[in-house]
Each structure stands twice: as C-alpha cells, then as structure tokens.
Amino acid sequence: DMAPPLDGLNETGRDALGITNHSTGMDDDKFDARQVGILTQLRLLFGREFINLKRDVGAVGTRYGLTIFLGILIGVIFWDVGAEDPSKQTNVQSRWGALIVVLLMAMFGTADDALLQFPSQRPVFLREYSTNHYNIFAYFLSRLTVEAVLTLGQIFCLSIITFYMIDFQMSFGWFLLINYALAMVSAALAVALGAAVEDPKTATELLPMLFVPQMLFAGFFVATDLIPSWLRWAQYLCSLTYALRLMVLEEFASCDPAEKCERVISSMDAEEDDTYWYWLVLLALFVLFRLSALGILTHKSTKFY
C-alpha cells in the first residue's frame, strides 16, 4: 500500500510528523524551508515505516505465510534427501537440486515486494521530497533497514524449515547466511529496477528480467563454457552464481565418498580457495545495486507529477 503523506501543519507550524518547519506568524509569505537534522528525519521515517507495517499486517502475514507454506512443500518433496547415501549419484544430484530450489525461493520470495516498493510510493515520495520534508539518504536508509529486517525474518522461516526437513549436512548458520545474502542482493537489484520505472504494472512486467538471466547464467541449466563467449561476461553480475557456489562448497566439500560430490563442485567451477572472493562479489553487487537505485531515485526526484 502507498505510504501516507507527511503533510498537514499543526499549530506550531511544523508538519504532522515534524519534518518540515514553517513560520506561523501573520505574514503568510514567510516560509522556512530548512530541513531538520538527519537523526530526526530518520526517527520520523522509521516511525512511519513501522506504522505502515501495522496497518498492512495482512500483506506481511501473506508474505510470511506463503514463504512458510512453500518451505514446507519443498521440505516434503525433498524430505531427508541430505541424509541419503552420497555414494549414489542420484542422491547427490537430488541434494544439489534441493539447494537450487531453496536458493531460487530465497531470491524470488524477496525480489517481488522490493520491485514494487518505489513505483507504488513514488507520488508520495516526490511530493514530500519536492517540499523539502527530508533528504533522499534518510528515506532510502529507512526503507533499507525495514526491508532488511523483514527479509531476515522471511529467510529465517524458509531456512529453518528446509534445512531440518531436507537434512542438509552443512552448518545451519552458513545456510542461513548464504540465503540471506542472496535475498538482499536480489532485493537490491529489484529496488534499482523499481526505482527506474514509474508504473507498478511496468515494474511487474520486469520480473522475468530479474530471474531468467540469473537462472541461465548460474551454470546448472547449461555449462558456462557453452555460453557464447561474447555473452559469458554476464555471469559475473548474477548473484545466484556466487551463492550457489558457496552452498555447493559448504554442502559437498567434506562429502564421503568424495568422487561424486566433487563432480557437483567442479560442474559449478567452485574453488574453495575463492570462497572469500565469492563473498566479496556478493557484497560488491549489493552495494552497486543499492547505489544505482539511490542515483536513479535522486535523478527521478527532479520530476514531480
């Protein structure tokens, strides 16, 4: 739902949430357009975000409920696959498939809401920003923080259900962290695309642009060395590739017998010595997409309708 506007002056000349200062003397042509401090802006914007969550509890409940339902469905389908004998290739392949499905769920489940975030609130944001209610950084940070908290809860529900139902062999902490990292990077990309469009319907039509390239370049549908060389570079911008490599290394690196598990690792071009590099790339993609969204939003803020 669209966020409520921060308008309406009270008797002290301050708007309803105290963000913009106005003079209240007899001389109506006097106007003080100075912003209050950044901490005050953040406090009031955070307050509005949490009020919106309370008002929109149905949508939040649906978001979490769908995640729990799909997590249980995935867990039932891949029930106890992680504990099966790894000496059989079909068991190893099934465990790998379970990892892929969970990661795709983590990516899809968060990007949809993030994509519609700015298009749905754009009119209110432009009006408030054009009247000097707050700066873009405060608005962006408040949205990012609330989104990060909601995403963490959503990914925790997904991870704890699928991890114990499928019985993965890696540490739960790493499993949760990798899922959360992928979800945050995917949401950052979705926010950047959402900030670039004006219509929520247009944003919805961009969903395939978020997901299809990720799946095509991740390496589990087609080997990356079979992709045309002039297009192969795109794999380095796909967060799913790095998250899947991290998952594969954590799940199969200590597999016994190692032969069949190593085939999965080699098929993903995953190297244990490059683990830190995969984490750095995920962090870099997150920062890149977030800064891109901030830049796009700054540019769009010059237009008001």
mmCIF file with all atom_site columns, all heavy atoms in Angstrom, residues 234-253:
data_model
loop_
_atom_site.group_PDB
_atom_site.id
_atom_site.type_symbol
_atom_site.label_atom_id
_atom_site.label_alt_id
_atom_site.label_comp_id
_atom_site.label_asym_id
_atom_site.label_entity_id
_atom_site.label_seq_id
_atom_site.pdbx_PDB_ins_code
_atom_site.Cartn_x
_atom_site.Cartn_y
_atom_site.Cartn_z
_atom_site.occupancy
_atom_site.B_iso_or_equiv
_atom_site.pdbx_formal_charge
_atom_site.auth_seq_id
_atom_site.auth_comp_id
_atom_site.auth_asym_id
_atom_site.auth_atom_id
_atom_site.pdbx_PDB_model_num
ATOM 1   N N   . ALA A 1 234 ? 28.281 -11.900 -18.545 1.00 0.00 ? 234 ALA A N   1
ATOM 2   C CA  . ALA A 1 234 ? 27.106 -11.567 -17.738 1.00 0.00 ? 234 ALA A CA  1
ATOM 3   C C   . ALA A 1 234 ? 26.996 -12.420 -16.487 1.00 0.00 ? 234 ALA A C   1
ATOM 4   O O   . ALA A 1 234 ? 26.325 -12.032 -15.524 1.00 0.00 ? 234 ALA A O   1
ATOM 5   C CB  . ALA A 1 234 ? 25.840 -11.707 -18.579 1.00 0.00 ? 234 ALA A CB  1
ATOM 6   N N   . GLN A 1 235 ? 27.652 -13.578 -16.477 1.00 0.00 ? 235 GLN A N   1
ATOM 7   C CA  . GLN A 1 235 ? 27.582 -14.454 -15.300 1.00 0.00 ? 235 GLN A CA  1
ATOM 8   C C   . GLN A 1 235 ? 28.165 -13.780 -14.060 1.00 0.00 ? 235 GLN A C   1
ATOM 9   O O   . GLN A 1 235 ? 27.754 -14.078 -12.933 1.00 0.00 ? 235 GLN A O   1
ATOM 10  C CB  . GLN A 1 235 ? 28.336 -15.756 -15.566 1.00 0.00 ? 235 GLN A CB  1
ATOM 11  C CG  . GLN A 1 235 ? 29.838 -15.567 -15.745 1.00 0.00 ? 235 GLN A CG  1
ATOM 12  C CD  . GLN A 1 235 ? 30.572 -16.874 -15.952 1.00 0.00 ? 235 GLN A CD  1
ATOM 13  O OE1 . GLN A 1 235 ? 30.492 -17.774 -15.135 1.00 0.00 ? 235 GLN A OE1 1
ATOM 14  N NE2 . GLN A 1 235 ? 31.275 -16.980 -17.084 1.00 0.00 ? 235 GLN A NE2 1
ATOM 15  N N   . TYR A 1 236 ? 29.078 -12.852 -14.263 1.00 0.00 ? 236 TYR A N   1
ATOM 16  C CA  . TYR A 1 236 ? 29.726 -12.205 -13.127 1.00 0.00 ? 236 TYR A CA  1
ATOM 17  C C   . TYR A 1 236 ? 28.822 -11.173 -12.434 1.00 0.00 ? 236 TYR A C   1
ATOM 18  O O   . TYR A 1 236 ? 29.153 -10.684 -11.355 1.00 0.00 ? 236 TYR A O   1
ATOM 19  C CB  . TYR A 1 236 ? 31.027 -11.548 -13.574 1.00 0.00 ? 236 TYR A CB  1
ATOM 20  C CG  . TYR A 1 236 ? 32.005 -12.532 -14.167 1.00 0.00 ? 236 TYR A CG  1
ATOM 21  C CD1 . TYR A 1 236 ? 32.327 -12.497 -15.525 1.00 0.00 ? 236 TYR A CD1 1
ATOM 22  C CD2 . TYR A 1 236 ? 32.590 -13.518 -13.389 1.00 0.00 ? 236 TYR A CD2 1
ATOM 23  C CE1 . TYR A 1 236 ? 33.207 -13.407 -16.078 1.00 0.00 ? 236 TYR A CE1 1
ATOM 24  C CE2 . TYR A 1 236 ? 33.480 -14.432 -13.934 1.00 0.00 ? 236 TYR A CE2 1
ATOM 25  C CZ  . TYR A 1 236 ? 33.780 -14.368 -15.285 1.00 0.00 ? 236 TYR A CZ  1
ATOM 26  O OH  . TYR A 1 236 ? 34.649 -15.283 -15.822 1.00 0.00 ? 236 TYR A OH  1
ATOM 27  N N   . LEU A 1 237 ? 27.694 -10.847 -13.065 1.00 0.00 ? 237 LEU A N   1
ATOM 28  C CA  . LEU A 1 237 ? 26.739 -9.918  -12.457 1.00 0.00 ? 237 LEU A CA  1
ATOM 29  C C   . LEU A 1 237 ? 25.559 -10.650 -11.823 1.00 0.00 ? 237 LEU A C   1
ATOM 30  O O   . LEU A 1 237 ? 24.643 -10.016 -11.323 1.00 0.00 ? 237 LEU A O   1
ATOM 31  C CB  . LEU A 1 237 ? 26.210 -8.939  -13.514 1.00 0.00 ? 237 LEU A CB  1
ATOM 32  C CG  . LEU A 1 237 ? 27.233 -7.970  -14.115 1.00 0.00 ? 237 LEU A CG  1
ATOM 33  C CD1 . LEU A 1 237 ? 26.576 -7.120  -15.195 1.00 0.00 ? 237 LEU A CD1 1
ATOM 34  C CD2 . LEU A 1 237 ? 27.850 -7.094  -13.044 1.00 0.00 ? 237 LEU A CD2 1
ATOM 35  N N   . CYS A 1 238 ? 25.601 -11.975 -11.851 1.00 0.00 ? 238 CYS A N   1
ATOM 36  C CA  . CYS A 1 238 ? 24.493 -12.782 -11.341 1.00 0.00 ? 238 CYS A CA  1
ATOM 37  C C   . CYS A 1 238 ? 24.827 -13.296 -9.950  1.00 0.00 ? 238 CYS A C   1
ATOM 38  O O   . CYS A 1 238 ? 25.709 -14.142 -9.767  1.00 0.00 ? 238 CYS A O   1
ATOM 39  C CB  . CYS A 1 238 ? 24.206 -13.944 -12.285 1.00 0.00 ? 238 CYS A CB  1
ATOM 40  S SG  . CYS A 1 238 ? 23.643 -13.430 -13.921 1.00 0.00 ? 238 CYS A SG  1
ATOM 41  N N   . SER A 1 239 ? 24.112 -12.805 -8.958  1.00 0.00 ? 239 SER A N   1
ATOM 42  C CA  . SER A 1 239 ? 24.383 -13.178 -7.574  1.00 0.00 ? 239 SER A CA  1
ATOM 43  C C   . SER A 1 239 ? 24.094 -14.649 -7.306  1.00 0.00 ? 239 SER A C   1
ATOM 44  O O   . SER A 1 239 ? 24.712 -15.257 -6.432  1.00 0.00 ? 239 SER A O   1
ATOM 45  C CB  . SER A 1 239 ? 23.547 -12.300 -6.638  1.00 0.00 ? 239 SER A CB  1
ATOM 46  O OG  . SER A 1 239 ? 22.170 -12.387 -6.972  1.00 0.00 ? 239 SER A OG  1
ATOM 47  N N   . LEU A 1 240 ? 23.154 -15.232 -8.042  1.00 0.00 ? 240 LEU A N   1
ATOM 48  C CA  . LEU A 1 240 ? 22.822 -16.641 -7.837  1.00 0.00 ? 240 LEU A CA  1
ATOM 49  C C   . LEU A 1 240 ? 24.025 -17.535 -8.084  1.00 0.00 ? 240 LEU A C   1
ATOM 50  O O   . LEU A 1 240 ? 24.194 -18.560 -7.417  1.00 0.00 ? 240 LEU A O   1
ATOM 51  C CB  . LEU A 1 240 ? 21.660 -17.034 -8.760  1.00 0.00 ? 240 LEU A CB  1
ATOM 52  C CG  . LEU A 1 240 ? 21.167 -18.479 -8.657  1.00 0.00 ? 240 LEU A CG  1
ATOM 53  C CD1 . LEU A 1 240 ? 20.667 -18.788 -7.246  1.00 0.00 ? 240 LEU A CD1 1
ATOM 54  C CD2 . LEU A 1 240 ? 20.065 -18.748 -9.685  1.00 0.00 ? 240 LEU A CD2 1
ATOM 55  N N   . THR A 1 241 ? 24.878 -17.156 -9.026  1.00 0.00 ? 241 THR A N   1
ATOM 56  C CA  . THR A 1 241 ? 26.077 -17.946 -9.328  1.00 0.00 ? 241 THR A CA  1
ATOM 57  C C   . THR A 1 241 ? 26.965 -18.075 -8.103  1.00 0.00 ? 241 THR A C   1
ATOM 58  O O   . THR A 1 241 ? 27.397 -19.179 -7.740  1.00 0.00 ? 241 THR A O   1
ATOM 59  C CB  . THR A 1 241 ? 26.873 -17.285 -10.471 1.00 0.00 ? 241 THR A CB  1
ATOM 60  O OG1 . THR A 1 241 ? 26.042 -17.190 -11.636 1.00 0.00 ? 241 THR A OG1 1
ATOM 61  C CG2 . THR A 1 241 ? 28.122 -18.087 -10.805 1.00 0.00 ? 241 THR A CG2 1
ATOM 62  N N   . TYR A 1 242 ? 27.221 -16.971 -7.429  1.00 0.00 ? 242 TYR A N   1
ATOM 63  C CA  . TYR A 1 242 ? 28.131 -16.985 -6.284  1.00 0.00 ? 242 TYR A CA  1
ATOM 64  C C   . TYR A 1 242 ? 27.481 -17.641 -5.064  1.00 0.00 ? 242 TYR A C   1
ATOM 65  O O   . TYR A 1 242 ? 28.153 -18.364 -4.315  1.00 0.00 ? 242 TYR A O   1
ATOM 66  C CB  . TYR A 1 242 ? 28.574 -15.561 -5.961  1.00 0.00 ? 242 TYR A CB  1
ATOM 67  C CG  . TYR A 1 242 ? 29.228 -14.877 -7.139  1.00 0.00 ? 242 TYR A CG  1
ATOM 68  C CD1 . TYR A 1 242 ? 28.521 -13.979 -7.932  1.00 0.00 ? 242 TYR A CD1 1
ATOM 69  C CD2 . TYR A 1 242 ? 30.547 -15.166 -7.481  1.00 0.00 ? 242 TYR A CD2 1
ATOM 70  C CE1 . TYR A 1 242 ? 29.124 -13.374 -9.027  1.00 0.00 ? 242 TYR A CE1 1
ATOM 71  C CE2 . TYR A 1 242 ? 31.153 -14.559 -8.575  1.00 0.00 ? 242 TYR A CE2 1
ATOM 72  C CZ  . TYR A 1 242 ? 30.427 -13.663 -9.344  1.00 0.00 ? 242 TYR A CZ  1
ATOM 73  O OH  . TYR A 1 242 ? 31.022 -13.079 -10.426 1.00 0.00 ? 242 TYR A OH  1
ATOM 74  N N   . ALA A 1 243 ? 26.192 -17.408 -4.874  1.00 0.00 ? 243 ALA A N   1
ATOM 75  C CA  . ALA A 1 243 ? 25.504 -18.044 -3.754  1.00 0.00 ? 243 ALA A CA  1
ATOM 76  C C   . ALA A 1 243 ? 25.477 -19.557 -3.925  1.00 0.00 ? 243 ALA A C   1
ATOM 77  O O   . ALA A 1 243 ? 25.680 -20.317 -2.961  1.00 0.00 ? 243 ALA A O   1
ATOM 78  C CB  . ALA A 1 243 ? 24.082 -17.502 -3.637  1.00 0.00 ? 243 ALA A CB  1
ATOM 79  N N   . LEU A 1 244 ? 25.257 -20.015 -5.141  1.00 0.00 ? 244 LEU A N   1
ATOM 80  C CA  . LEU A 1 244 ? 25.214 -21.450 -5.398  1.00 0.00 ? 244 LEU A CA  1
ATOM 81  C C   . LEU A 1 244 ? 26.594 -22.085 -5.209  1.00 0.00 ? 244 LEU A C   1
ATOM 82  O O   . LEU A 1 244 ? 26.713 -23.200 -4.676  1.00 0.00 ? 244 LEU A O   1
ATOM 83  C CB  . LEU A 1 244 ? 24.694 -21.708 -6.813  1.00 0.00 ? 244 LEU A CB  1
ATOM 84  C CG  . LEU A 1 244 ? 24.396 -23.163 -7.176  1.00 0.00 ? 244 LEU A CG  1
ATOM 85  C CD1 . LEU A 1 244 ? 23.439 -23.776 -6.168  1.00 0.00 ? 244 LEU A CD1 1
ATOM 86  C CD2 . LEU A 1 244 ? 23.813 -23.250 -8.581  1.00 0.00 ? 244 LEU A CD2 1
ATOM 87  N N   . ARG A 1 245 ? 27.638 -21.382 -5.608  1.00 0.00 ? 245 ARG A N   1
ATOM 88  C CA  . ARG A 1 245 ? 28.996 -21.899 -5.396  1.00 0.00 ? 245 ARG A CA  1
ATOM 89  C C   . ARG A 1 245 ? 29.303 -22.015 -3.904  1.00 0.00 ? 245 ARG A C   1
ATOM 90  O O   . ARG A 1 245 ? 29.915 -22.997 -3.457  1.00 0.00 ? 245 ARG A O   1
ATOM 91  C CB  . ARG A 1 245 ? 30.009 -20.987 -6.089  1.00 0.00 ? 245 ARG A CB  1
ATOM 92  C CG  . ARG A 1 245 ? 30.005 -21.109 -7.607  1.00 0.00 ? 245 ARG A CG  1
ATOM 93  C CD  . ARG A 1 245 ? 30.967 -20.134 -8.258  1.00 0.00 ? 245 ARG A CD  1
ATOM 94  N NE  . ARG A 1 245 ? 30.938 -20.248 -9.710  1.00 0.00 ? 245 ARG A NE  1
ATOM 95  C CZ  . ARG A 1 245 ? 31.621 -19.466 -10.541 1.00 0.00 ? 245 ARG A CZ  1
ATOM 96  N NH1 . ARG A 1 245 ? 32.376 -18.491 -10.038 1.00 0.00 ? 245 ARG A NH1 1
ATOM 97  N NH2 . ARG A 1 245 ? 31.538 -19.647 -11.850 1.00 0.00 ? 245 ARG A NH2 1
ATOM 98  N N   . LEU A 1 246 ? 28.885 -21.018 -3.141  1.00 0.00 ? 246 LEU A N   1
ATOM 99  C CA  . LEU A 1 246 ? 29.106 -21.074 -1.695  1.00 0.00 ? 246 LEU A CA  1
ATOM 100 C C   . LEU A 1 246 ? 28.333 -22.231 -1.069  1.00 0.00 ? 246 LEU A C   1
ATOM 101 O O   . LEU A 1 246 ? 28.856 -22.951 -0.201  1.00 0.00 ? 246 LEU A O   1
ATOM 102 C CB  . LEU A 1 246 ? 28.680 -19.749 -1.053  1.00 0.00 ? 246 LEU A CB  1
ATOM 103 C CG  . LEU A 1 246 ? 29.584 -18.551 -1.324  1.00 0.00 ? 246 LEU A CG  1
ATOM 104 C CD1 . LEU A 1 246 ? 28.919 -17.258 -0.862  1.00 0.00 ? 246 LEU A CD1 1
ATOM 105 C CD2 . LEU A 1 246 ? 30.929 -18.714 -0.633  1.00 0.00 ? 246 LEU A CD2 1
ATOM 106 N N   . MET A 1 247 ? 27.099 -22.428 -1.490  1.00 0.00 ? 247 MET A N   1
ATOM 107 C CA  . MET A 1 247 ? 26.292 -23.530 -0.978  1.00 0.00 ? 247 MET A CA  1
ATOM 108 C C   . MET A 1 247 ? 26.917 -24.878 -1.319  1.00 0.00 ? 247 MET A C   1
ATOM 109 O O   . MET A 1 247 ? 26.991 -25.791 -0.478  1.00 0.00 ? 247 MET A O   1
ATOM 110 C CB  . MET A 1 247 ? 24.877 -23.458 -1.559  1.00 0.00 ? 247 MET A CB  1
ATOM 111 C CG  . MET A 1 247 ? 23.966 -22.446 -0.898  1.00 0.00 ? 247 MET A CG  1
ATOM 112 S SD  . MET A 1 247 ? 23.468 -22.946 0.770   1.00 0.00 ? 247 MET A SD  1
ATOM 113 C CE  . MET A 1 247 ? 22.029 -21.930 1.003   1.00 0.00 ? 247 MET A CE  1
ATOM 114 N N   . VAL A 1 248 ? 27.346 -25.026 -2.553  1.00 0.00 ? 248 VAL A N   1
ATOM 115 C CA  . VAL A 1 248 ? 27.934 -26.293 -3.002  1.00 0.00 ? 248 VAL A CA  1
ATOM 116 C C   . VAL A 1 248 ? 29.191 -26.616 -2.209  1.00 0.00 ? 248 VAL A C   1
ATOM 117 O O   . VAL A 1 248 ? 29.411 -27.763 -1.786  1.00 0.00 ? 248 VAL A O   1
ATOM 118 C CB  . VAL A 1 248 ? 28.228 -26.233 -4.518  1.00 0.00 ? 248 VAL A CB  1
ATOM 119 C CG1 . VAL A 1 248 ? 29.164 -27.349 -4.939  1.00 0.00 ? 248 VAL A CG1 1
ATOM 120 C CG2 . VAL A 1 248 ? 26.932 -26.304 -5.314  1.00 0.00 ? 248 VAL A CG2 1
ATOM 121 N N   . LEU A 1 249 ? 30.026 -25.615 -1.990  1.00 0.00 ? 249 LEU A N   1
ATOM 122 C CA  . LEU A 1 249 ? 31.265 -25.842 -1.234  1.00 0.00 ? 249 LEU A CA  1
ATOM 123 C C   . LEU A 1 249 ? 30.964 -26.228 0.209   1.00 0.00 ? 249 LEU A C   1
ATOM 124 O O   . LEU A 1 249 ? 31.602 -27.121 0.773   1.00 0.00 ? 249 LEU A O   1
ATOM 125 C CB  . LEU A 1 249 ? 32.139 -24.591 -1.283  1.00 0.00 ? 249 LEU A CB  1
ATOM 126 C CG  . LEU A 1 249 ? 32.818 -24.301 -2.623  1.00 0.00 ? 249 LEU A CG  1
ATOM 127 C CD1 . LEU A 1 249 ? 33.489 -22.934 -2.598  1.00 0.00 ? 249 LEU A CD1 1
ATOM 128 C CD2 . LEU A 1 249 ? 33.854 -25.389 -2.953  1.00 0.00 ? 249 LEU A CD2 1
ATOM 129 N N   . GLU A 1 250 ? 29.999 -25.566 0.829   1.00 0.00 ? 250 GLU A N   1
ATOM 130 C CA  . GLU A 1 250 ? 29.663 -25.877 2.217   1.00 0.00 ? 250 GLU A CA  1
ATOM 131 C C   . GLU A 1 250 ? 29.014 -27.254 2.353   1.00 0.00 ? 250 GLU A C   1
ATOM 132 O O   . GLU A 1 250 ? 29.250 -27.961 3.332   1.00 0.00 ? 250 GLU A O   1
ATOM 133 C CB  . GLU A 1 250 ? 28.713 -24.804 2.783   1.00 0.00 ? 250 GLU A CB  1
ATOM 134 C CG  . GLU A 1 250 ? 29.364 -23.458 3.015   1.00 0.00 ? 250 GLU A CG  1
ATOM 135 C CD  . GLU A 1 250 ? 30.427 -23.501 4.100   1.00 0.00 ? 250 GLU A CD  1
ATOM 136 O OE1 . GLU A 1 250 ? 30.301 -24.327 5.038   1.00 0.00 ? 250 GLU A OE1 1
ATOM 137 O OE2 . GLU A 1 250 ? 31.384 -22.717 4.007   1.00 0.00 ? 250 GLU A OE2 1
ATOM 138 N N   . GLU A 1 251 ? 28.210 -27.635 1.376   1.00 0.00 ? 251 GLU A N   1
ATOM 139 C CA  . GLU A 1 251 ? 27.457 -28.886 1.475   1.00 0.00 ? 251 GLU A CA  1
ATOM 140 C C   . GLU A 1 251 ? 28.265 -30.109 1.036   1.00 0.00 ? 251 GLU A C   1
ATOM 141 O O   . GLU A 1 251 ? 28.132 -31.192 1.625   1.00 0.00 ? 251 GLU A O   1
ATOM 142 C CB  . GLU A 1 251 ? 26.187 -28.777 0.629   1.00 0.00 ? 251 GLU A CB  1
ATOM 143 C CG  . GLU A 1 251 ? 25.297 -30.006 0.667   1.00 0.00 ? 251 GLU A CG  1
ATOM 144 C CD  . GLU A 1 251 ? 24.663 -30.240 2.030   1.00 0.00 ? 251 GLU A CD  1
ATOM 145 O OE1 . GLU A 1 251 ? 24.670 -29.311 2.867   1.00 0.00 ? 251 GLU A OE1 1
ATOM 146 O OE2 . GLU A 1 251 ? 24.155 -31.354 2.262   1.00 0.00 ? 251 GLU A OE2 1
ATOM 147 N N   . PHE A 1 252 ? 29.122 -29.945 0.031   1.00 0.00 ? 252 PHE A N   1
ATOM 148 C CA  . PHE A 1 252 ? 29.770 -31.109 -0.573  1.00 0.00 ? 252 PHE A CA  1
ATOM 149 C C   . PHE A 1 252 ? 31.277 -31.184 -0.363  1.00 0.00 ? 252 PHE A C   1
ATOM 150 O O   . PHE A 1 252 ? 31.892 -32.183 -0.740  1.00 0.00 ? 252 PHE A O   1
ATOM 151 C CB  . PHE A 1 252 ? 29.482 -31.143 -2.073  1.00 0.00 ? 252 PHE A CB  1
ATOM 152 C CG  . PHE A 1 252 ? 28.035 -31.313 -2.411  1.00 0.00 ? 252 PHE A CG  1
ATOM 153 C CD1 . PHE A 1 252 ? 27.310 -30.279 -2.979  1.00 0.00 ? 252 PHE A CD1 1
ATOM 154 C CD2 . PHE A 1 252 ? 27.380 -32.510 -2.164  1.00 0.00 ? 252 PHE A CD2 1
ATOM 155 C CE1 . PHE A 1 252 ? 25.966 -30.431 -3.299  1.00 0.00 ? 252 PHE A CE1 1
ATOM 156 C CE2 . PHE A 1 252 ? 26.040 -32.683 -2.479  1.00 0.00 ? 252 PHE A CE2 1
ATOM 157 C CZ  . PHE A 1 252 ? 25.326 -31.637 -3.048  1.00 0.00 ? 252 PHE A CZ  1
ATOM 158 N N   . ALA A 1 253 ? 31.879 -30.160 0.229   1.00 0.00 ? 253 ALA A N   1
ATOM 159 C CA  . ALA A 1 253 ? 33.349 -30.164 0.349   1.00 0.00 ? 253 ALA A CA  1
ATOM 160 C C   . ALA A 1 253 ? 33.853 -31.322 1.207   1.00 0.00 ? 253 ALA A C   1
ATOM 161 O O   . ALA A 1 253 ? 34.920 -31.883 0.940   1.00 0.00 ? 253 ALA A O   1
ATOM 162 C CB  . ALA A 1 253 ? 33.839 -28.837 0.916   1.00 0.00 ? 253 ALA A CB  1
#
